Amino acid sequence: KKQFELKPDRYAELTKRSKINLVLSGNLNNITYRLYEVLFLKSFFLIDSYYLNYKISEHFENNSEFVFRNLDELGKKIEYYIENYDEANLVRSKQTESFKKFYDPEKHGLSIQKLIM
């Protein structure tokens, strides 16, 4: 079991190196941390349509570009973005910018620091 352990640094490296990250939305009332991890690492991802039930999805203008509704659509999106990787990078940029508009860790940290001081 120890031989398959994935250390945090290696996990981040592999996520950043992946052309396409798969994110599954989670259970009935919680989005998975995987979504936030991929967003923090500024990596491209595809996510299942259950994500649209979460408030976070309202912060992204381009959901249709990275949300899949079934396995067939997932396969088609994977093929498309592998063949059109420049397009995947454009979508990744939009994902990152959308995320930064509603949650920028640096700005958030500064506002907390300001409150504490």
Side-chain angles (χ1 to χ4, degrees):
K1 188 174 180 179
K2 194 83 165 155
Q3 71 187 21
F4 297 111
E5 185 177 316
L6 187 58
K7 304 270 190 238
D9 288 346
R10 182 77 172 135
Y11 172 80
E13 175 192 335
L14 291 171
T15 298
K16 286 169 41 173
R17 276 193 4 210
S18 295
K19 288 188 174 189
I20 299 174
N21 286 279
L22 180 62
V23 178
L24 300 176
S25 62
N27 64 23
L28 298 175
N29 57 10
N30 286 314
I31 199 86
T32 63
Y33 288 117
R34 173 82 172 140
L35 175 61
Y36 298 107
E37 292 165 350
V38 173
L39 285 166
F40 279 121
L41 294 170
K42 299 176 182 161
S43 297
F44 176 70
F45 66 90
L46 298 174
I47 191 168
D48 64 274
S49 60
Y50 292 106
Y51 145 89
L52 298 171
N53 296 324
Y54 295 100
K55 187 133 183 88
I56 190 172
S57 68
E58 296 171 11
H59 295 282
F60 293 83
E61 298 171 11
N62 62 327
N63 286 318
S64 64
E65 296 174 319
F66 59 88
V67 172
F68 62 92
R69 298 191 183 285
N70 55 50
L71 289 177
D72 184 55
E73 190 174 353
L74 172 61
K76 288 177 182 173
K77 285 186 186 267
I78 289 170
E79 286 178 23
Y80 176 79
Y81 287 122
I82 292 293
E83 292 174 14
N84 301 280
Y85 196 63
D86 289 343
E87 184 72 24
N89 275 323
L90 289 173
V91 173
R92 181 195 53 76
S93 293
K94 289 187 228 174
Q95 289 171 329
T96 300
E97 286 307 308
S98 293
F99 183 56
K100 284 177 76 174
K101 283 181 186 175
F102 77 91
Y103 184 72
D104 183 326
E106 190 173 324
K107 285 181 187 176
H108 186 71
L110 289 173
S111 67
I112 290 172
Q113 183 180 26
K114 193 175 181 179
L115 286 171
I116 293 171
M117 302 306 211

